[in-house]
Amino acid sequence: FRVRKVAELRAAGAKDLIDSADRVPRDIGLWQNPEMRQGTFRKDGASVLARGVGSGCASVHLPATGGASYAVSVAVKGKGSANVHWKVNGKEEWGLGIPQLDETGEPDADGWRTLAASVRPPVGADGMVVSAWVSQKDEGEETRFRDFSVLKLR
């Protein structure tokens, strides 16, 4: 899935399902694996900062319609990945497939990479969770996430 396509969809009036006026969802949740090294993981201005986090994710929960199509994207600076998983009856279901977001091109001049995918929730799903993941080996290692976006395609 291409960043250009996301820009075209926005230009055509597609509404973003994520309320992120400041580039980070207002209701973002942050989680660190309690069995791994605890680092700094917080909203930091116009991005989410992870420093020295053994394993963790920044997630946003959204309603979704099973069988519909969505364009999902997240920007990352440093080492990180992103995926989507589904909710059924409001509960997270990890066994219904976990689409990964792929890099869409080269990093920009500031080192930001866009991860994106077109996803389709399985029939019966009523929600999605977009998660940006980090797994850092060193205490001083930094990763940032911003520009979380979900556009309904059809």
Side-chain angles (χ1 to χ4, degrees):
F1 202 77
R2 303 265 183 245
V3 173
R4 181 176 46 92
K5 179 73 172 171
V6 172
E8 290 170 5
L9 290 166
R10 283 192 180 124
K15 182 181 180 296
D16 202 319
L17 301 180
I18 295 179
D19 180 11
S20 58
D22 60 353
R23 305 186 95 161
V24 176
R26 294 185 196 288
D27 57 351
I28 194 145
L30 303 174
W31 173 85
Q32 291 188 62
N33 184 335
E35 297 177 9
M36 310 244 344
R37 181 185 60 249
Q38 301 294 292
T40 300
F41 205 16
R42 62 183 166 84
K43 190 172 175 182
D44 184 46
S47 66
V48 171
L49 167 67
R51 183 182 301 120
V53 174
S55 177
C57 68
S59 299
V60 62
H61 296 246
L62 299 165
T65 304
S69 294
Y70 299 86
V72 180
S73 62
V74 176
V76 60
K77 185 175 184 176
K79 289 193 248 177
S81 62
N83 63 30
V84 177
H85 65 275
W86 313 112
K87 295 172 89 171
V88 175
N89 296 323
K91 295 183 181 181
E92 295 180 54
E93 295 288 341
W94 293 92
L96 297 176
I98 303 173
Q100 301 296 309
L101 279 63
D102 299 316
E103 286 192 36
T104 60
E106 295 297 315
D108 69 13
D110 295 324
W112 288 94
R113 298 174 293 122
T114 300
L115 309 176
S118 176
V119 301
R120 180 172 288 158
V123 173
D126 57 8
M128 74 169 76
V129 182
V130 178
S131 298
W133 289 88
V134 64
S135 179
Q136 299 171 325
K137 295 182 188 213
D138 300 319
E139 288 183 19
E141 188 175 347
E142 280 192 13
T143 300
R144 289 182 179 268
F145 299 104
R146 70 177 187 199
D147 299 336
F148 290 72
S149 177
V150 176
L151 304 174
K152 188 169 185 179
L153 301 175
R154 54 186 161 93

